[in-house]
Amino acid sequence: MSESTVTAKGQTTMPAEIRALVDAKPGTRLVWSAMPDGTLIVRVKSKSILDMAGMLKPPKGKRIGIDEMNPWR
């Protein structure tokens, strides 16, 4: 188990073994979640929505326009 202290400015240092475990570099973003029981979950934000570009292939078959999708036309 690793430990760190919060400074007067509300800052803390991630312990070296944790930084190595998650491959954290300067600029690595962290997401903090507080659970109702007081537990904190800190997760590394490693992906952007832009990283998902091109993951899905377009469906095969006939394409229709937005006007054709309108059920009240």
Side-chain angles (χ1 to χ4, degrees):
M1 179 184 279
S2 297
E3 187 175 303
S4 66
T5 304
V6 177
T7 68
K9 290 184 177 183
Q11 300 171 336
T12 189
T13 300
M14 184 187 295
E17 60 269 19
I18 301 298
R19 285 193 313 266
L21 186 69
V22 298
D23 195 30
K25 306 277 190 276
T28 297
R29 310 273 307 170
L30 302 175
V31 178
W32 296 73
S33 301
M35 301 291 104
D37 67 354
T39 301
L40 288 175
I41 297 173
V42 183
R43 131 183 118 71
V44 176
K45 184 176 180 180
S46 58
K47 298 274 184 191
S48 160
I49 191 72
L50 297 175
D51 294 331
M52 295 184 198
M55 287 180 69
L56 300 176
K57 298 201 184 317
K60 294 183 180 186
K62 181 184 174 198
R63 295 178 185 226
I64 61 171
I66 293 174
D67 291 336
E68 295 174 278
M69 293 181 205
N70 186 349
W72 297 284
R73 56 180 173 115

